[in-house]
Amino acid sequence: MTLTELETWLRETDSSRLETLWAEADRVRREHVGDEVHLRGLVEISNYCARLCGYCGLRADHVDLPRYRMEAAEILECARQAVAYGYGTVVLQAGEDYGITREWLAEVVRRIKAETPLAVTLSLGERPEADLVAWREAGANRYLLRFETSDPELYARIHPPLPGEVWRDRFEILARLRELGYEVGSGVMIGIPGQSYASLARDIATFENLDLDMIGVGPWLPHPATPLGVERGTWNVENGERPTEGNTGETPVPPDQVPNTEDMTYKVVALTRLVCPEANLPSTTALATLNKESGRELGLSRGANVVMPNLTPVKYRALYEIYPDKACINETAEACQLCLSGRIHSIGRRVGQGPGGRQRRGG
């Protein structure tokens, strides 16, 4: 699909045309990855972060956010729960927290691999290469590192380097992860202030060029304690965008600004499935936050094949506040498992078995 075709679809508003897009994405999903929906048990192991990203509520200077870091025994208990619920993968996610040391996490990974049949996915930010090597040697299978946007100017604006840090190219890190033998995942946010339709079309084309194994896309949801959240709160609300708390309507939305809407997210999920037919694509918690009734189901019916039930102990969940009002923060792990399994069966799909890694055609 050309960049022009991708951008045309992103701008499409005709409901009948969009129905053809949803149907084609669902057909391609069925043909390439089947009807199984794989459940990845998510454990948010720390909300400390060294970064000052312009969009994230975990940013280091969010001083009003109580911080936590899970103990190894707590993480192992979550992994055991994942096995009990029939999940094939546990995802260990955190801010870029250097209190999580190389040796400590390597031992946690080794114990999970020794005591369970789970695949282990890590999502811990731009860690030094020696960390990535050690964790792979310990048995970690996958690494998620979203590049957020392929527009270098926009990326520099939302993701400043650490003090004294030489800027690191996330595309180079993704390539190195592949060399180390990880399954590689990445993705973008939709509707970042300053993101154009042409830029988002390039993001989707970049997924194809990177040949990613996993791709996560979701709407940017403004956090009021971040610079972009403050900026977004002054915009007029147009084109069906969700109003934000404190919106004063002082500044018009830029004319080529991608909206951070539910429908735009479905478009990106569907187009990503068409250009990356074999990839594992989650129907994200952010979609469920926008539409608590049926967001996950609609994502699954428009190209996605993964969901990520939360295994994080309830006492920590509200503190992992990348954005506010996140779905399911008070649900127990058991309730989340039962809910998602029921939702999957309600749309005629079945829960996947085993780790559910990417299956490349021809082996």
Side-chain angles (χ1 to χ4, degrees), residues 123-137:
S123 180
L124 304 170
E126 298 176 22
R127 299 291 298 228
E129 181 170 328
D131 293 358
L132 303 176
V133 170
W135 299 336
R136 178 69 184 127
E137 290 175 347

Side-chain angles (χ1 to χ4, degrees), residues 322-357:
I322 296 174
Y323 51 83
D325 303 320
K326 192 162 60 171
C328 306
I329 61 170
N330 294 315
E331 259 189 8
T332 66
E334 181 180 12
C336 190
Q337 186 267 336
L338 290 171
C339 174
L340 288 179
S341 296
R343 288 173 182 265
I344 289 165
H345 290 297
S346 75
I347 59 171
R349 303 273 284 279
R350 61 182 183 272
V351 174
Q353 302 298 309

